[in-house]
Amino acid sequence: MREHGASPREPRLLPWSGTGGKPCYLITDDHGGPVSRLADTTESVQLGMGAELLAHARGLLPDAPPGELRYLAECLTDALADALRVAESRGRRLEHSR
């Protein structure tokens, strides 16, 4: 329960999109709820996949044929979008925890 006069918590940007690519937010007072834990796990997986994809790209790029480069560029674009969403969400939570 919120104390009288306390401001509501900032909604958390979740690491997945809704219908039509719209952002999804979580509003809760529970820091360890099931959706928060799922979001934490998803963020960790997304960042790990991005790191693995980057390592793969660095090894593949020097000799890659055009078809593979297009696929790699699409995957890197998705991974970057995920990483930016995680960074935005974590940045918002850091700003509001001060």
Side-chain angles (χ1 to χ4, degrees), residues 6-40:
S7 62
R9 291 193 68 230
E10 178 75 15
R12 176 181 180 173
L13 177 64
L14 295 172
W16 52 80
S17 298
T19 307
K22 294 181 181 178
C24 292
Y25 295 92
L26 174 65
I27 299 172
T28 181
D29 290 332
D30 184 4
H31 296 286
V35 177
S36 291
R37 288 191 307 272
L38 176 61
D40 291 343

Side-chain angles (χ1 to χ4, degrees), residues 74-97:
E74 290 171 355
C75 291
L76 285 168
T77 300
D78 291 341
L80 178 57
D82 289 342
L84 291 173
R85 185 179 297 116
V86 170
E88 181 182 350
S89 176
R90 290 183 181 182
R92 285 182 183 185
R93 286 183 278 154
L94 285 175
E95 286 175 8
H96 290 90
S97 68

